């Protein structure tokens, strides 16, 4: 059923029912409330949207304007959209599909505001799908991509819901209007942490799709002359084509492994939180925010590199690459705009750095911040050794975190307020956080290829891919590694040479590495990436199905071109 709805396309958006609405019930409803709604959601007996973002606020959740005011006389919450900008705007499925929504609203009881909380609101009749009384719904109009999804708007005109419709696993409002605090005010945000974690896998899968399409096509496409008189070579034989595609292929594997770690961490930390141990929440938030931001940004850029590497046919929707790019671009904005998310990671790093300065031993993904030597140890390094490469990335990140934090401390010592010092150092902070996440991805990639249960021939290929990913990162960000002399110019030259060698080493396995993603043609939806490689025949068939080809002479000729040509000829 869900698959059928999924393929319905135009106007039916059930993705958010699965990835946001249902998980919100799982994570924020009491056991009693789960009995009422969870099975209905899992069986798609109701269809839901996750309605948090408003026309005026998406990033700043504490600034949301929708209100949920408790009325003890009727034991109901009154949901209201007080302003135009409080209109819920963007939620997937909200426009035409969903008949329920979890609505994030400012909770008021006994005249006091307790901040954003989630409420279950029925928005359409289960009989005729008409909007419920007091609810105004609609689609927000065409977007860059994903136009099969009805991202919608919703307004609430004093809509009354039972007290029990507040999702009360963490915070509660008693019948008399007493507010009961949650263990942490940020638990209301827990589903966003979960969803950001899933975006890491979405990014990996998107980059895997794009590299599958581009690598396969680069084996079919022959172009130009590498040597006079010789047959046109596969374009994948050009080193520049390998330099475009193989770092993206390596990143797809790196992000795939990072998403494994993210999933494991989310499960372990939320398991501890179920037992009341909140100690891991800050690290989980910082890691999910940073990984979401980093992987989606690299993926969007990487998909466009793959698109360009396919020449003109890459620009055609037949390639599947423009749609992939549009989807990946959405991942950079949705579920926490990338800059804002990376700043959240930076906030955590600055805090950890201060703790390390005060003598605390750091653990988890920031442990390296206390272990890395501040003074660079220059020297001839073995730039093909994974341990050396991981250490270089950790040194770079530690140096940049220290630099940004010290810069901020300096600004405050000059008398700047903390918030002003933060803002004036935020570009440094973003770069430091990106370096931190990059070092995590490299370390996790290296640890995975060294421990994953595969036969040694596969481990050798994965190790080459990890070296390629790391060497590409060092050469692309050489200045960061040279700045304090930790790496020398000779090290960077060695890294470039090893990178060229890795491109040649990965070439024979490139098709096998993309086939290993096991992405069916029905998922790839790409003429260029077809498993059977019959690109040209299917490109022609695809073009013939273009709506413009329904008639030999298009109606626009008679309407516009013919009179225009006639009048021009008459003037000759
Ligand atoms: C190829 C792809 C194919 C297809 C894809 C195509 C289309 C689909 C694409 C996307 C659609 C799918 C889903 C989209 C869903 C959505 O977008 S849902 C809405 C998402 N919205 C957000 O994410 C909002 C982002 N904003 C926030 O999270 C917060 O406002 C904030 C920016 C974090 C700021 O919060 P706040 O002001 O309250 O906090 P701070 O003052 O900054 O920090 C205070 C302390 O709180 C800690 N904190 C913050 N958030 C969390 C959290 N979630 N968990 C735990 N702790 C948190 C923060 O670290 C501070 O701690 P301290 O330093 O110790 O004080
Ligand atoms: C395809 C798609 C699907 C979506 N689905 C849903 C959904 O199902 N449910 C839902 O509730 N929402 C959904 N959203 C909305 C999405 O969550 C928001 O658009 C997103 O959180 C960004 O918020 P914003 O639009 O307010 O951006 P803004 O924050 O207005 O971003 C504009 C600029 O301001 C900058 N900025 C903002 N705050 C800061 C800061 N503190 N420091 C530095 N710079 C800052 C940003 O970096 C950015 O450059 C969806 C959006 C898209 C594109």
């Amino acid at each position: 059923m869900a698959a059928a709805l999924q393929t319905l396309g135009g106007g039916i958006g059930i993705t958010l029912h699965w990835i946001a609405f249902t998980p919100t019930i799982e994570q924020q409803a009491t056991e009693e409330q789960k009995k009422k709604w969870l099975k209905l959601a899992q069986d798609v007996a109701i269809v839901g949207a996750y309605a948090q973002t408003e026309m005026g606020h998406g990033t700043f959740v504490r600034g949301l304007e929708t209100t949920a005011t408790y009325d003890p006389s009727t034991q109901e919450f009154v949901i209201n959209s007080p302003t135009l900008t409080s209109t819920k705007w963007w939620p997937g499925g909200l426009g035409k599909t969903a008949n329920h929504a979890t609505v994030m609203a400012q909770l008021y009881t006994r005249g006091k505001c307790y901040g954003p909380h989630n409420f279950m609101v029925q928005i359409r009749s289960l009989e005729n799908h008409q909007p419920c009384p007091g609810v105004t719904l609609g689609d927000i109009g065409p977007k860059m991509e994903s136009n099969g999804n009805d991202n919608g708007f919703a307004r609430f005109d004093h809509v009354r819901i039972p007290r029990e419709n507040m999702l009360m696993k963490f915070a509660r409002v008693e019948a008399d209007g007493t507010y009961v605090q949650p263990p942490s005010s940020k638990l209301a945000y827990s589903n966003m942490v979960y969803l950001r974690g899933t975006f890491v896998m979405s990014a990996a899968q998107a980059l895997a799709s794009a590299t599958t399409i581009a690598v396969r096509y680069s084996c079919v496409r022959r172009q130009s002359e590498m040597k006079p008189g010789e047959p046109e070579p596969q374009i994948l034989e050009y080193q520049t084509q390998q330099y475009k595609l193989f770092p993206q292929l390596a990143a797809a594997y790196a992000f795939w492994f990072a998403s494994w770690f993210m999933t494991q961490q989310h499960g372990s930390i939320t398991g501890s939180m179920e037992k009341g141990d909140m100690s891991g929440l800050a690290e989980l938030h910082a890691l999910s925010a940073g990984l979401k931001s980093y992987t989606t940004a690299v993926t969007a850029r990487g998909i466009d590199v793959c698109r360009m590497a396919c020449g003109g046919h890459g620009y055609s929707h037949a390639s599947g690459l423009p749609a992939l790019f549009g989807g990946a671009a959405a991942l950079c904005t949705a579920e926490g705009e990338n800059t804002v998310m990376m700043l959240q990671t930076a906030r955590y790093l600055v805090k950890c750095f201060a703790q390390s300065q005060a003598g605390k031993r750091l653990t988890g993904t920031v442990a390296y911040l206390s272990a890395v030597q501040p003074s660079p140890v220059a020297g001839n390094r073995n730039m093909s050794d994974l341990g050396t490469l991981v250490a270089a990335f950790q040194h770079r990140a530690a140096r940049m975190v220290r630099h940004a934090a010290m810069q901020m401390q300096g600004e405050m010592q000059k008398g700047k307020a903390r918030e002003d010092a933060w803002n004036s150092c935020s570009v440094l902070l973003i770069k430091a956080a990106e370096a931190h996440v990059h070092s995590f991805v490299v370390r996790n990639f290296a640890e995975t290829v060294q421990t994953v249960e595969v036969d040694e021939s596969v481990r050798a290929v994965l190790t080459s891919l990890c070296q390629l990913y790391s060497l590409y990162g060092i050469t692309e960000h050489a200045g960061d590694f040279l700045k304090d002399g930790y790496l020398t110019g000779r090290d960077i030259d060695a890294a470039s040479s090893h990178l060229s060698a890795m491109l040649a080493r990965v070439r024979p396995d490139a098709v096998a590495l993309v086939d290993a993603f096991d992405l069916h043609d029905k998922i790839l939806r790409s003429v260029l990436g077809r498993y059977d490689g019959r690109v040209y025949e299917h490109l022609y068939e695809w073009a013939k199905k273009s709506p413009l080809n329904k008639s030999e002479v298009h109606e626009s000729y008679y309407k516009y071109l013919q009179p225009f040509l006639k009048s021009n000829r008459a003037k000759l």
Side-chain angles (χ1 to χ4, degrees):
M1 171 60 173
L5 275 172
Q6 190 74 26
T7 53
L8 263 177
I12 294 287
I14 194 166
T15 311
L16 271 294
H17 170 87
W18 293 119
I19 67 173
F21 175 76
T22 304
T24 299
I25 300 170
E26 285 162 349
Q27 293 165 24
Q28 309 229 348
T30 62
E31 291 312 309
E32 207 51 40
Q33 291 174 325
K34 285 178 190 173
K35 284 187 190 122
K36 183 175 177 186
W37 290 308
L38 190 53
K39 191 158 182 338
L40 290 174
Q42 288 167 339
D43 294 353
V44 198
I46 60 174
V47 184
Y50 180 77
Q52 173 176 304
T53 300
E54 297 172 355
M55 187 190 283
H57 292 90
T59 286
F60 190 47
V61 176
R62 285 187 287 132
L64 291 174
E65 297 176 86
T66 302
T67 57
T69 307
Y70 185 63
D71 177 352
S73 66
T74 60
Q75 295 192 29
E76 292 171 319
F77 281 99
V78 180
I79 308 294
N80 191 47
S81 306
T83 60
L84 174 62
T85 49
S86 68
T87 305
K88 290 299 178 186
W89 200 273
W90 272 110
L94 186 63
K96 298 294 174 187
T97 307
N99 50 38
H100 282 72
T102 54
V103 177
M104 186 77 97
Q106 300 287 358
L107 189 160
Y108 285 84
T109 178
R110 293 182 169 175
K112 185 179 174 193
C113 180
Y114 289 90
H117 290 72
N118 271 306
F119 298 84
M120 179 65 76
V121 183
Q122 183 174 340
I123 57 174
R124 285 183 184 272
S125 154
L126 299 183
E127 305 311 317
N128 60 20
H129 209 56
Q130 289 296 326
C132 293
V135 179
T136 305
L137 298 167
D139 179 79
I140 65 171
K143 307 170 287 280
M144 176 178 178
E145 195 50 57
S146 311
N147 284 299
N149 220 337
D150 55 318
N151 296 84
F153 65 78
R155 289 187 58 74
F156 303 96
D157 181 3
H158 301 89
V159 174
R160 287 182 169 268
I161 60 172
R163 177 178 70 90
E164 294 76 13
N165 277 37
M166 171 186 169
L167 298 187
M168 291 202 238
K169 178 175 180 179
F170 301 117
R172 276 199 327 276
V173 168
E174 306 295 13
D176 65 358
T178 307
Y179 179 78
V180 179
Q181 291 281 356
S184 154
S185 66
K186 293 307 174 216
L187 288 169
Y189 294 12
S190 63
N191 49 304
M192 288 188 270
V193 172
Y194 162 75
L195 204 43
R196 286 167 196 148
T198 67
F199 272 35
V200 180
M201 180 47 94
S202 302
Q205 288 168 338
L207 197 51
S209 299
T211 50
T212 300
I213 293 165
V215 165
R216 286 179 178 169
Y217 177 65
S218 297
C219 292
V220 171
R221 184 70 168 181
R222 291 178 175 277
Q223 198 70 203
S224 309
E225 261 188 350
M226 201 177 275
K227 286 180 190 156
E230 286 201 356
E232 292 186 78
Q234 293 167 312
I235 55 177
L236 199 55
E237 295 315 320
Y238 293 113
Q239 188 190 51
T240 50
Q241 191 78 353
Q242 295 168 12
Y243 185 73
K244 289 174 192 173
L245 298 184
F246 293 171
Q248 310 312 328
L249 174 58
Y253 273 86
F255 295 170
W256 207 289
F257 298 149
S259 75
W260 286 357
F261 180 91
M262 189 68 245
T263 306
Q264 182 274 330
Q265 277 294 85
H266 188 271
S268 150
I269 291 173
T270 46
S272 306
M273 285 163 57
E274 287 292 329
K275 298 171 192 140
D277 172 8
M278 299 293 157
S279 61
L281 182 56
E283 159 110 355
L284 185 66
H285 166 54
L287 181 65
S288 59
L291 269 179
K292 180 269 177 191
S293 176
Y294 185 79
T295 58
T296 56
V298 171
T299 290
R301 288 195 296 269
I303 291 171
D304 207 34
V305 167
C306 290
R307 191 263 309 164
M308 289 184 278
C310 294
H313 300 327
Y315 191 74
S316 163
H317 273 299
S319 72
L321 290 163
L324 261 178
F325 176 76
L331 296 176
C332 294
T333 301
E335 206 47 60
E337 194 280 329
N338 275 0
T339 304
V340 172
M341 288 299 103
M342 201 53 93
L343 284 169
Q344 284 290 308
T345 303
R347 178 175 175 141
Y348 179 68
L349 291 170
V350 167
K351 201 172 172 183
C352 293
F353 175 76
Q355 290 169 348
S356 166
Q357 293 288 84
K360 181 183 174 188
R361 192 176 68 82
L362 300 176
T363 59
T365 57
V366 293
Y368 73 92
L369 283 179
S370 19
V372 173
Q373 296 304 320
S375 55
V377 179
N380 288 336
R381 299 177 193 283
N382 173 0
M383 297 305 284
S384 64
D385 169 58
L386 279 187
T388 302
L389 300 176
V390 171
F393 276 93
Q394 291 187 328
H395 179 88
R396 169 201 182 213
R399 181 185 63 74
M400 292 172 74
V401 170
R402 183 185 313 111
H403 177 62
M406 303 296 270
Q407 194 76 8
M408 212 179 121
Q409 281 172 14
E411 294 286 294
M412 288 193 286
Q413 278 155 10
K414 287 179 204 163
K416 264 191 185 172
R418 181 180 179 76
E419 293 75 12
D420 294 331
W422 173 270
N423 192 40
S424 62
C425 296
S426 47
V427 172
L428 284 177
L429 288 162
I430 282 272
K431 289 180 185 296
E434 283 167 356
H436 162 72
V437 178
H438 199 169
S439 79
F440 165 78
V441 172
V442 168
R443 177 172 64 79
N444 186 67
F445 197 176
E447 287 174 0
T448 305
V449 300
Q450 286 158 351
T451 56
V452 66
E453 287 183 21
V454 291
D455 68 53
E456 289 314 305
S457 61
V458 173
R459 191 183 315 283
V461 175
L462 291 176
T463 302
S464 299
L465 215 48
C466 183
Q467 285 172 314
L468 191 155
Y469 178 75
S470 309
L471 292 163
Y472 179 76
I474 287 176
T475 54
E476 286 291 291
H477 300 278
D480 292 345
F481 296 90
L482 289 165
K483 198 165 268 185
D484 66 347
Y486 182 81
L487 290 186
T488 64
R490 283 182 59 187
D491 292 329
I492 300 298
D493 286 345
S496 297
S497 305
H498 283 304
L499 177 56
S500 299
M502 286 301 111
L503 294 176
R505 185 177 302 174
V506 165
R507 171 64 189 92
D509 295 309
V511 174
L513 282 164
V514 297
D515 286 353
F517 291 131
D518 198 19
L519 293 163
H520 193 280
D521 284 355
K522 289 197 174 86
I523 299 288
L524 279 183
R525 289 185 281 189
S526 166
V527 169
L528 307 191
R530 293 175 58 87
Y531 188 73
D532 65 9
R534 294 176 58 213
V535 169
Y536 294 121
E537 306 97 300
H538 287 273
L539 194 59
Y540 190 51
E541 288 310 310
W542 187 87
K544 284 197 284 188
K545 290 178 193 148
S546 165
L548 283 176
N549 293 326
K550 279 208 178 91
S551 62
E552 192 48 57
V553 178
H554 194 267
E555 60 176 8
S556 55
Y557 168 77
Y558 303 104
K559 263 189 193 168
Y560 308 109
L561 192 58
Q562 187 181 38
F564 185 57
L565 290 171
K566 224 173 191 171
S567 74
N568 289 340
R569 276 202 292 273
K571 292 172 196 157
L572 294 179

